[in-house]
Amino acid sequence: MGSESNNLEFLKEIGLGSTNIGSFINGQWKANGSSVTSVNPSTNQTIATVTEATVADYEEGLQACSEAAKTWMTIPAPKRGEIVRQIGDALRAKLDPLGRLVSLEMGKILAEGVGEVQEIIDMCDYAVGLSRQLNGSIIPSERPDHMMFEVWNPLGIVGVITAFNFPCAVLGWNACIALVCGNCVVWKGAPTTPLITIAVTKLISEVLEKNKLPGAIFTSFCGGADIGEAISKDTRIPLVSFTGSSKVGSIVQKTVTERFGKCLLELSGNNAIIVMDDADIKLAVRSIFFAAVGTAGQRCTTCRRLYLHESIYTNVLDQLAGLYKQVKIGNPLEKGILVGPLHTRSSVENFKKGIAAIKSQAWKILTGGTVLESEGNFVQPTIVEISSDAAVVKEELFAPVLYVMKFQNLEEAIALNNSVPQGLSSSIFTQTPNTIFKWIGPRGSDCGIVNVNIPTNGAEIGGAFGGEKATGGGREAGSDSWKQYMRRSTCTINYGSELPLAQGINFG
Amino acid sequence: MGSESNNLEFLKEIGLGSTNIGSFINGQWKANGSSVTSVNPSTNQTIATVTEATVADYEEGLQACSEAAKTWMTIPAPKRGEIVRQIGDALRAKLDPLGRLVSLEMGKILAEGVGEVQEIIDMCDYAVGLSRQLNGSIIPSERPDHMMFEVWNPLGIVGVITAFNFPCAVLGWNACIALVCGNCVVWKGAPTTPLITIAVTKLISEVLEKNKLPGAIFTSFCGGADIGEAISKDTRIPLVSFTGSSKVGSIVQKTVTERFGKCLLELSGNNAIIVMDDADIKLAVRSIFFAAVGTAGQRCTTCRRLYLHESIYTNVLDQLAGLYKQVKIGNPLEKGILVGPLHTRSSVENFKKGIAAIKSQAWKILTGGTVLESEGNFVQPTIVEISSDAAVVKEELFAPVLYVMKFQNLEEAIALNNSVPQGLSSSIFTQTPNTIFKWIGPRGSDCGIVNVNIPTNGAEIGGAFGGEKATGGGREAGSDSWKQYMRRSTCTINYGSELPLAQGINFG
Amino acid sequence: MGSESNNLEFLKEIGLGSTNIGSFINGQWKANGSSVTSVNPSTNQTIATVTEATVADYEEGLQACSEAAKTWMTIPAPKRGEIVRQIGDALRAKLDPLGRLVSLEMGKILAEGVGEVQEIIDMCDYAVGLSRQLNGSIIPSERPDHMMFEVWNPLGIVGVITAFNFPCAVLGWNACIALVCGNCVVWKGAPTTPLITIAVTKLISEVLEKNKLPGAIFTSFCGGADIGEAISKDTRIPLVSFTGSSKVGSIVQKTVTERFGKCLLELSGNNAIIVMDDADIKLAVRSIFFAAVGTAGQRCTTCRRLYLHESIYTNVLDQLAGLYKQVKIGNPLEKGILVGPLHTRSSVENFKKGIAAIKSQAWKILTGGTVLESEGNFVQPTIVEISSDAAVVKEELFAPVLYVMKFQNLEEAIALNNSVPQGLSSSIFTQTPNTIFKWIGPRGSDCGIVNVNIPTNGAEIGGAFGGEKATGGGREAGSDSWKQYMRRSTCTINYGSELPLAQGINFG
Amino acid sequence: MGSESNNLEFLKEIGLGSTNIGSFINGQWKANGSSVTSVNPSTNQTIATVTEATVADYEEGLQACSEAAKTWMTIPAPKRGEIVRQIGDALRAKLDPLGRLVSLEMGKILAEGVGEVQEIIDMCDYAVGLSRQLNGSIIPSERPDHMMFEVWNPLGIVGVITAFNFPCAVLGWNACIALVCGNCVVWKGAPTTPLITIAVTKLISEVLEKNKLPGAIFTSFCGGADIGEAISKDTRIPLVSFTGSSKVGSIVQKTVTERFGKCLLELSGNNAIIVMDDADIKLAVRSIFFAAVGTAGQRCTTCRRLYLHESIYTNVLDQLAGLYKQVKIGNPLEKGILVGPLHTRSSVENFKKGIAAIKSQAWKILTGGTVLESEGNFVQPTIVEISSDAAVVKEELFAPVLYVMKFQNLEEAIALNNSVPQGLSSSIFTQTPNTIFKWIGPRGSDCGIVNVNIPTNGAEIGGAFGGEKATGGGREAGSDSWKQYMRRSTCTINYGSELPLAQGINFG
């Protein structure tokens, strides 16, 4: 662990060592793949090593998981809720070290690392209540002595493939709901955040063990594209929840739907904030700042496009530039730091390419635009004045680069917001009811998340999270997202002795 | 119209002549494609001719439809409901001639033809009420001075591609809901049932006209695969509802999802009935008979597999065979006829191929199995004793061929029911509560429709209709199927002046 | 019918003559009570005479109704919906003459008379859809092999006692829902609007007859307090829906609850409009005018209290006074008339008493305040400047008298809005999101109806109508109001052979 | 504490001593009323003494509570959920001593005492999830530029008056929901179970204190009828939840409704079990035994009436009598004991009176019927053969007395089940689907709880608990019971500049 080891004592609290086995199969930690390193993005030094799973490991895991599914789905839902409650408590007890690990391995600042773990805990609490509310319906039948039921049954196994930027919250959104719904979970975490995958899996596995339940109910893999592909192709997995880019998501979707499986996709965002002339500018500026530089621009909900009404354009831009110039960049575990590193060296390369493209098209970089000299992956948060026609504006550059554009009226602003392939998140700042309700209405934002006077990022779990168009259409966390994790049976029961037919048809 | 013309006077009542224009574009009847004939499957004589749409016609239609969508989506939902109410009344006024046309052109018996039209009327009545209940949610926010909304907005345009076997009911399931949800509808009917497509479109268009609404709100095409492909590829159509085979559905799904559109798929069924030893045998026999021979075996919910408990195997089979031998086959418009023709000559060829395969594998044809000598497409309803391992049992043969198999206990029967790729409909006959609740529970039938003591076919509109696995996963008609026709916006509104963050995160 | 007879030809269209039998019992028109006259409030001349029901008639009606209830409740809900659809169509066909009758007999202007009948038609359309959505729930059980159901069953008979000011819409709110829910309806209309009671009952009874259903499903009485009391005391009537004053409602509630029956109360309103300094004044003035003088101040949702922000006080008052001075008072059937008569001479006496009390306390009558010289019951719409402490402000004076008061800030305005015993309707006019959301939030208006930028009156049927506090707490029409018309059964079904207990209790 | 003191050490763990202050007012323990003793019903020895609250104490408590309500209702619901989560954890940590206390002070056996506390914990877990699901609705408006909302706001204060037989679970049902809904709670526990009231209040108060919230959010009183009356009359308490006899409940209801407050009533039960000829007799006998003798017959859901099909009458009765004769009666904290004492000496007197009445009418006491010689309040579980016409069968005798009757068919059995004034719980034992669905359908049991193959008692929290008719009509715990703890605002927001009216009315 080299020079960092002094500060890494806390990893022991959550079951991690300098070498770790990266998959949890049939209730056991075993992995036969290659050894990979987990790297601190602030220093590019190794934190620890992890043995990944092979496809054979995967197969062993899935066989056990399929078997466990038969047990888990017949346990009453409120009892499954009790298990999820205990998982929540286990996470709560380790909130601090887990949050630190997220910050350390992913690179987000500590407040966000802790917030991410808190989000799984919130999900657990929520799912406990839900375990008594996975309600079907009793629907009036048009036929005498008949009853119609809509029954929700478990799918069996849910595959969850998560991304580096929310290395555990996205698992939480999916697993908490999937588990109370009666499904086993097969998790493949991001290849670059294996320690988080392991630490979270350990806590969950301990709860299962304590309750004498098969460990295979929660099966987890550190691994790469081969594991992801195995999940996509596996007919034993009726639902694959995938978080990542639109490009990879499209491939996953094709693979899964070819076998008539279901996908829940959370793909690329390219999120805009609109500031109207009547906005609370102070609120808007704080929000844009958080939305654009938070998590070093690596949230799917990061604000990448900023549309300013011409009358407040200069004012907002000046205030923003002021904040950008003061923002502290550095070790995300350190107090006062607001911008940590990009997650990997390859992210830095992407940033460089993006900036080069911007420059080549002669767009104006107002502030930022350079990579910091350091051992870590630090880049400057960047503001670019650009035309809304520019091709780069349509793409998701996964870095803290904010494109700023001008508009003249609401209709134009909405059209611009809707003019990109992605449809995840969007915000407007205004104090006019008419504007608010148009924005959230039929001809308003076409995104899944449509905010007013708050940033594009920072969703609560009670609502459904996800986006439209190239963002993939999936919905996670709250509302009726749970229905995606179950199969719906429309049942008609004839308890009489006659056979009346629907639509009054007379047959024979 | 030849010798049939005497009986075709009723077609005038619903706006049809001997030649007909096959597409309704921008409020006008125009079509520049080739002329095709609509053929009576009982005689293989021409009923009338129809000019199909070209891809250029399609494009003209879609441009107008896109424009109309902007209007229609901002009309208040209850006002849209009033239009659908009037459509229902227009259909009700023509229930009899429309029903006759369905029987004439598709080939199902008159009772079923009228029942199919009644189903659209039922859908209209249902959708009227729904137009005041497309409710979003107000979700408690964890942040002070914030409110969370889940708002449902129209998608814009819904494409509906329907199949010959329900040439108008499936349009009804989709269009009634799509319209009250604020969407324009683009309909491509089956190539072999163009008269029904035209007649239904005329009634709808008249209602739009009477209410001074753009005709393009309902755009309709008679045409072939090129129009279907155009719909699948069209980014202006966020949702494509497709009814047809799993094979074609898979292609549609691939095309639509590649552009990140959404599909609502109603694909192949291969539906089983299980008869337990404690069943009401009389009820079971009547139900199997209706489910297997009704619509000449051409329903997606037709029973194709029959699993009989060994103790009642002979009894049920004997009774069934008796019914099969007496069943009247012939002109579906004639009283007393229960089995009409297959829809096309090519359907007859398929039947022949299927029977040949069965024979080649030496399975025992108990009754039926031959094509009737006639000008029409009549075949004998057929019962085959077969092993549940036989490959043909896994496939949907779209004809009245029933495979009969034996089982010993419930677990085995359920496993057999679930052993095919398709997952549409399924029924059990039993008088034991334990069996009923196991059948509809987590380890029961894996189909979308799970019946007890009624046939596999004959769904009511109040429930959600559709199936799992290779059946495609879509749900139409009742329950919350309407949500598929809308896009969900998760909105958070900050009406205060502070910026608290979710999960209690403190940023800057 | 005297000199008015020329204009009363339209009454024949809806089955009314110069003498009429006032109760519909066991499918027959019969009544043995005294003969009363229906009086035109514009002229105080007799329209026609009606024989009222006796308590013996009531008893005969209820016996038949109890018997009919056994039939009606077992007819499938969607079939009951079909009956209600036909009732809607029957009303639609007579919209004009029914609307005229409401205007003639009650005294509201024709547009409102027709609107009232339209509201029942809307309710019918809505209830048809609802008849397939009276959904119970299937709730996950914590015990293996158990299912929990929440089933909604009919109550049996619903008593509906309506008031003169909405002589048929209130019946519609209740009866449409009660009927699809499977209940028979016993209706007592207002004693002074018997012709409307009879006309509406005739249309409904004809639909029942056409469908060969017992007429006693809808049982209807013209009569006085003795019939009302009989309904209140009748243990065969599990639910009594009463619309009227808080005073009488309180007595009804006491009588009904003493026998452990249920009440649905729609009692007095005393509704306020608040105009903030940032309001759209034009919109506010039009709304206040409609809310205060519409229906001559005889709606339960009439605006009786007006709170104006001090900064716009004079402006709004001046504009209002201008409108009041021009408003046309007269025969409500005449074009251009906006204010018809008060309903009865006794209403005029109440108005006089109210004005006298206002004057005796030296409050300033800005405009109006007098009874017009005429044969009818016409009074001037009146505006009074008053202190919010004045005792009269706490009471509902059922006449077009508007109390105007001043305030300085939102908190004060809300406190004033909430300071009366009644809690029906309330409106605010503002363009500030913060004000809107505070107004509808936990510390905002305490009324059942909480409007923004629309008047206190004019509710849509899709929402739940009703109020809090002395308004009685009932909710009618949309949302889940239907649940009040059904009884809820929480069912747990054990389909296994073990007896696990809830909360994990171990007994014996 | 006398001779029992050795065993009462555990009381210290939950904050109880030999003398205790019996009310928690404005965050402080203070009480100025008389000193009462808590008595062990097994020995009639004093456990400890408690000072009760005076009406002046009550007033002080309510003033603070009213003030606290303003704070509590504006805290976001999910934050309120977090408090309830902590309350659940606090109870979980003291499950054992609290369960022992319930057993000691109320007299139920330990398994049931612990089960009762577990039920509050379950409610807490459930309410946490619910705190993010107190959803309002967004309802489509028929008017352009209008939105309709159904918003649920807190009531302010909820009064909870509980009975001795569930001295804390009923508080849990109410308080957990009331608190997440944003209400403060005012609790009056039963006069004879003050220690439980104090112990539970202490745990809740500690959570409030730890979170720096006003203690007055939870205000609690040990006291008698004067406190109950004060709650009933208090206009600051919009909702009073009362559990107790129909007789007292009726008085409470009258008092509360006179001031237009709302009641949630859980009153007398008189619950029947029906055993059909096709029942699983073993299951039925075990269930009847638990339902009739459990909690010594002092549950509101205790089975008091047993209807046996004539064909299995003797068989069931013989088996039951066998169990009754073996059942161990005694100290409820002792292992193996199934029947503890009646709660008070006065309960024993009631039992004696009931038995005397039975004997005077010459009904046959099959087993039991006598009071045991002991210092405690022990009586024998009793079976009486009786006619269903007997007047005593219509009344709730709150003791372990079971009336047994015979029937011939389902219709008769249902009629008998429904023939008493009360309507709480009911069960049928059968294996026939037709019987099951008739029993839970429109012409089946008229109770709030309608079970199949389980006893009348032992409800899960996920469903709504409560009964019809003289049982009072309230519903607690799951389903949408929470709506009773909130007020519903139907809001229409006009965000445009026009004023279209509902029902298309044109005014002026």
Side-chain angles (χ1 to χ4, degrees), chain D residues 241-505:
Chain D
S241 173
F242 173 84
T243 301
S245 70
S246 294
K247 200 178 140 195
V248 178
S250 191
I251 295 166
V252 169
Q253 180 170 39
K254 196 181 149 190
T255 309
V256 174
T257 55
E258 258 171 10
R259 60 166 175 92
F260 288 111
K262 291 178 188 177
C263 277
L264 198 170
L265 301 174
E266 299 286 347
L267 310 179
S268 303
N270 183 1
N271 317 289
I273 290 179
I274 296 169
V275 185
M276 299 297 293
D277 49 355
D278 67 338
D280 177 333
I281 298 294
K282 197 181 132 205
L283 200 64
V285 168
R286 274 199 65 200
S287 297
I288 298 160
F289 181 62
F290 173 52
V293 314
T295 331
Q298 297 170 104
R299 289 196 182 210
C300 46
T301 53
T302 290
C303 174
R304 308 194 182 286
R305 298 181 288 142
L306 177 62
Y307 297 105
L308 300 174
H309 188 271
E310 53 183 7
S311 67
I312 47 84
Y313 184 83
T314 313
N315 181 9
V316 171
L317 220 46
D318 286 353
Q319 293 193 34
L320 261 187
L323 287 174
Y324 268 65
K325 275 160 195 163
Q326 293 165 7
V327 67
K328 285 198 188 157
I329 307 171
N331 181 350
L333 284 158
E334 236 171 64
K335 230 178 163 171
I337 295 294
L338 288 186
V339 178
L342 293 188
H343 184 55
T344 59
R345 280 184 168 143
S346 122
S347 309
V348 176
E349 289 312 305
N350 267 338
F351 172 81
K352 281 186 194 165
K353 269 186 226 162
I355 295 295
I358 288 161
K359 286 183 173 165
S360 74
Q361 289 157 37
W363 305 119
K364 185 174 169 195
I365 294 178
L366 277 191
T367 180
T370 62
V371 176
L372 298 195
E373 296 268 329
S374 87
E375 302 215 326
N377 310 320
F378 298 101
V379 304
Q380 284 183 320
T382 303
I383 300 178
V384 183
E385 278 194 295
I386 201 165
S387 155
S388 50
D389 300 331
V392 293
V393 172
K394 313 277 183 191
E395 292 157 25
E396 181 189 43
L397 177 59
F398 221 65
V401 176
L402 180 68
Y403 299 118
V404 188
M405 292 150 286
K406 204 177 281 188
F407 70 89
Q408 292 180 310
N409 59 51
L410 180 62
E411 284 62 35
E412 187 193 351
I414 292 176
L416 288 169
N417 177 76
N418 295 356
S419 67
V420 299
Q422 306 85 355
L424 180 51
S425 185
S426 57
S427 299
I428 203 166
F429 285 78
T430 180
Q431 293 296 327
T432 307
N434 186 270
T435 304
I436 292 175
F437 288 107
K438 280 202 174 138
W439 170 245
I440 70 175
R443 301 189 63 183
S445 166
D446 65 359
C447 293
I449 299 174
V450 184
N451 290 333
V452 178
N453 296 332
I454 65 163
T456 47
N457 55 340
E460 295 186 23
I461 63 154
F465 180 90
E468 297 297 311
K469 302 193 293 182
T471 306
R475 287 299 186 281
E476 290 176 334
S479 184
D480 65 354
S481 302
W482 63 269
K483 290 186 177 175
Q484 295 167 101
Y485 300 85
M486 304 197 85
R487 62 183 175 82
R488 180 199 311 245
S489 307
T490 303
C491 308
T492 306
I493 298 181
N494 176 8
Y495 56 91
S497 48
E498 303 299 314
L499 192 65
L501 302 181
Q503 292 90 47
I505 289 175

Side-chain angles (χ1 to χ4, degrees), chain C residues 135-408:
Chain C
N135 287 7
S137 303
I138 302 175
I139 304 171
S141 170
E142 69 191 51
R143 291 173 272 187
D145 289 353
H146 285 54
M147 273 188 119
M148 278 174 77
F149 293 158
E150 181 167 87
V151 177
W152 292 93
N153 281 312
L155 291 172
I157 302 178
V158 172
V160 183
I161 302 174
T162 59
F164 75 85
N165 61 335
F166 279 91
C168 60
V170 171
L171 181 270
W173 291 349
N174 284 282
C176 297
I177 305 292
L179 286 171
V180 297
C181 287
N183 303 296
C184 293
V185 170
V186 172
W187 181 23
K188 185 188 103 55
T192 52
T193 55
L195 299 181
I196 298 166
T197 306
I198 294 169
V200 169
T201 300
K202 286 211 164 158
L203 289 169
I204 295 174
S205 71
E206 284 160 18
V207 170
L208 292 173
E209 198 181 353
K210 203 173 68 186
N211 287 277
K212 299 196 175 61
L213 286 165
I217 288 168
F218 194 86
T219 298
S220 153
F221 300 105
C222 295
D226 52 343
I227 302 295
E229 198 187 345
I231 291 174
S232 300
K233 288 189 171 163
D234 197 328
T235 54
R236 292 167 297 191
I237 304 183
L239 173 69
V240 177
S241 173
F242 173 85
T243 301
S245 69
S246 294
K247 202 177 138 194
V248 179
S250 190
I251 295 166
V252 169
Q253 180 170 39
K254 196 181 148 190
T255 309
V256 174
T257 55
E258 258 171 11
R259 60 169 175 91
F260 288 112
K262 290 178 189 177
C263 278
L264 196 169
L265 302 174
E266 298 286 346
L267 311 179
S268 304
N270 182 0
N271 317 291
I273 290 178
I274 296 169
V275 186
M276 298 298 292
D277 51 353
D278 68 337
D280 177 333
I281 298 294
K282 198 181 129 202
L283 201 65
V285 169
R286 275 198 66 197
S287 298
I288 298 161
F289 181 63
F290 173 53
V293 314
T295 330
Q298 296 169 107
R299 286 194 183 213
C300 47
T301 53
T302 290
C303 175
R304 309 193 182 286
R305 297 181 289 141
L306 176 61
Y307 297 106
L308 301 174
H309 188 271
E310 54 183 5
S311 68
I312 46 84
Y313 183 83
T314 313
N315 181 9
V316 170
L317 220 46
D318 287 353
Q319 293 193 35
L320 260 188
L323 287 174
Y324 268 66
K325 276 161 196 164
Q326 292 165 7
V327 67
K328 286 200 186 153
I329 308 170
N331 181 349
L333 284 159
E334 237 169 65
K335 228 178 168 173
I337 295 296
L338 289 185
V339 178
L342 292 188
H343 183 55
T344 58
R345 280 188 168 139
S346 121
S347 310
V348 176
E349 289 313 305
N350 267 339
F351 173 80
K352 280 187 195 164
K353 269 187 225 161
I355 295 295
I358 289 161
K359 285 184 174 165
S360 74
Q361 288 158 38
W363 304 117
K364 186 174 165 194
I365 294 179
L366 276 192
T367 180
T370 62
V371 176
L372 297 196
E373 296 268 329
S374 87
E375 302 215 324
N377 308 321
F378 298 100
V379 303
Q380 284 185 317
T382 303
I383 301 178
V384 183
E385 278 193 295
I386 201 165
S387 155
S388 50
D389 300 332
V392 293
V393 171
K394 313 278 182 190
E395 294 157 22
E396 182 189 43
L397 176 59
F398 220 65
V401 177
L402 181 68
Y403 300 117
V404 188
M405 292 150 285
K406 204 178 279 188
F407 70 89
Q408 293 181 309

Side-chain angles (χ1 to χ4, degrees), chain B residues 82 85 89 92 122 125-126 128-130 132-133 147 149 433-434 437-438 440 460-462 493 495-496, chain C residues 82 85 89 92 122 125-126 128-130 132-133 147 149 433-434 437-438 440 460-462 493 495-496:
Chain B
E82 169 59 17
R85 189 190 66 74
D89 272 359
R92 194 176 269 117
D122 287 353
D125 293 344
Y126 179 79
V128 175
L130 199 60
R132 293 187 188 267
Q133 296 170 291
M147 272 186 118
F149 292 158
N434 186 271
F437 288 107
K438 279 202 173 139
I440 69 174
E460 296 185 24
I461 63 154
I493 298 180
Y495 56 91
Chain C
E82 168 60 16
R85 191 191 65 76
D89 272 359
R92 193 175 271 117
D122 287 353
D125 292 346
Y126 179 80
V128 175
L130 198 60
R132 291 186 189 267
Q133 297 169 292
M147 273 188 119
F149 293 158
N434 185 271
F437 288 107
K438 280 204 172 136
I440 70 175
E460 295 185 23
I461 62 153
I493 298 181
Y495 56 90

Side-chain angles (χ1 to χ4, degrees), chain A residues 52-68:
Chain A
E52 289 191 334
T54 62
V55 170
D57 293 335
Y58 171 84
E59 183 54 32
E60 187 182 342
L62 259 287
Q63 282 180 20
C65 189
S66 300
E67 205 51 44

Side-chain angles (χ1 to χ4, degrees), chain B residues 85-396:
Chain B
R85 189 190 66 74
Q86 293 180 29
I87 292 172
D89 272 359
L91 291 160
R92 194 176 269 117
K94 302 290 184 189
L95 175 58
D96 185 66
L98 275 176
R100 292 182 76 77
L101 173 60
V102 171
S103 181
L104 176 73
E105 192 176 38
M106 186 276 155
K108 61 179 68 173
I109 64 170
L110 184 56
E112 290 186 271
V114 170
E116 177 168 356
V117 180
Q118 183 60 47
E119 198 160 351
I120 322 183
I121 297 170
D122 287 353
M123 281 302 304
C124 287
D125 293 344
Y126 179 79
V128 175
L130 199 60
S131 72
R132 293 187 188 267
Q133 296 170 291
L134 302 163
N135 287 5
S137 302
I138 302 176
I139 303 170
S141 169
E142 69 191 51
R143 291 173 272 188
D145 289 352
H146 284 54
M147 272 186 118
M148 279 174 77
F149 292 158
E150 182 167 86
V151 177
W152 293 93
N153 281 311
L155 291 172
I157 301 179
V158 172
V160 184
I161 301 174
T162 58
F164 76 85
N165 61 335
F166 279 90
C168 61
V170 171
L171 180 273
W173 290 350
N174 284 282
C176 297
I177 305 291
L179 286 171
V180 297
C181 287
N183 303 296
C184 292
V185 170
V186 172
W187 180 24
K188 187 187 104 54
T192 52
T193 55
L195 299 181
I196 297 166
T197 306
I198 295 170
V200 169
T201 301
K202 287 212 163 158
L203 288 170
I204 294 174
S205 72
E206 283 161 17
V207 170
L208 292 172
E209 197 181 355
K210 202 174 68 184
N211 287 276
K212 300 194 174 58
L213 286 165
I217 288 168
F218 194 86
T219 297
S220 151
F221 301 104
C222 295
D226 53 344
I227 301 294
E229 197 188 347
I231 290 174
S232 299
K233 287 189 170 162
D234 198 327
T235 55
R236 292 166 297 191
I237 304 183
L239 172 69
V240 176
S241 173
F242 174 85
T243 301
S245 70
S246 294
K247 201 179 141 196
V248 179
S250 190
I251 296 166
V252 169
Q253 179 170 40
K254 196 181 150 193
T255 310
V256 174
T257 55
E258 259 171 9
R259 60 167 175 90
F260 287 112
K262 291 178 189 176
C263 278
L264 196 170
L265 301 174
E266 298 286 347
L267 310 179
S268 304
N270 183 359
N271 317 290
I273 290 179
I274 296 169
V275 186
M276 298 296 293
D277 50 353
D278 68 338
D280 176 334
I281 297 295
K282 197 181 129 205
L283 200 65
V285 169
R286 276 198 64 199
S287 297
I288 297 160
F289 182 61
F290 173 53
V293 313
T295 330
Q298 296 169 105
R299 289 196 181 210
C300 47
T301 52
T302 289
C303 175
R304 310 194 181 286
R305 298 181 288 140
L306 177 62
Y307 297 106
L308 301 174
H309 188 271
E310 54 182 7
S311 68
I312 47 85
Y313 183 83
T314 313
N315 182 9
V316 170
L317 222 45
D318 286 353
Q319 294 194 35
L320 260 188
L323 287 174
Y324 268 65
K325 275 161 195 164
Q326 293 166 9
V327 67
K328 286 197 187 155
I329 308 171
N331 179 350
L333 283 159
E334 235 171 67
K335 229 178 164 172
I337 296 295
L338 288 185
V339 178
L342 292 187
H343 183 54
T344 59
R345 280 187 168 140
S346 124
S347 310
V348 175
E349 290 312 306
N350 267 339
F351 172 81
K352 282 187 193 161
K353 269 186 226 161
I355 295 295
I358 289 162
K359 286 183 174 164
S360 75
Q361 289 157 39
W363 303 120
K364 184 175 170 196
I365 294 179
L366 277 193
T367 179
T370 62
V371 176
L372 298 196
E373 295 268 330
S374 87
E375 304 216 321
N377 309 320
F378 298 100
V379 304
Q380 283 184 320
T382 303
I383 300 178
V384 183
E385 277 194 296
I386 202 163
S387 154
S388 50
D389 299 333
V392 293
V393 171
K394 313 277 182 192
E395 293 157 24
E396 182 190 42

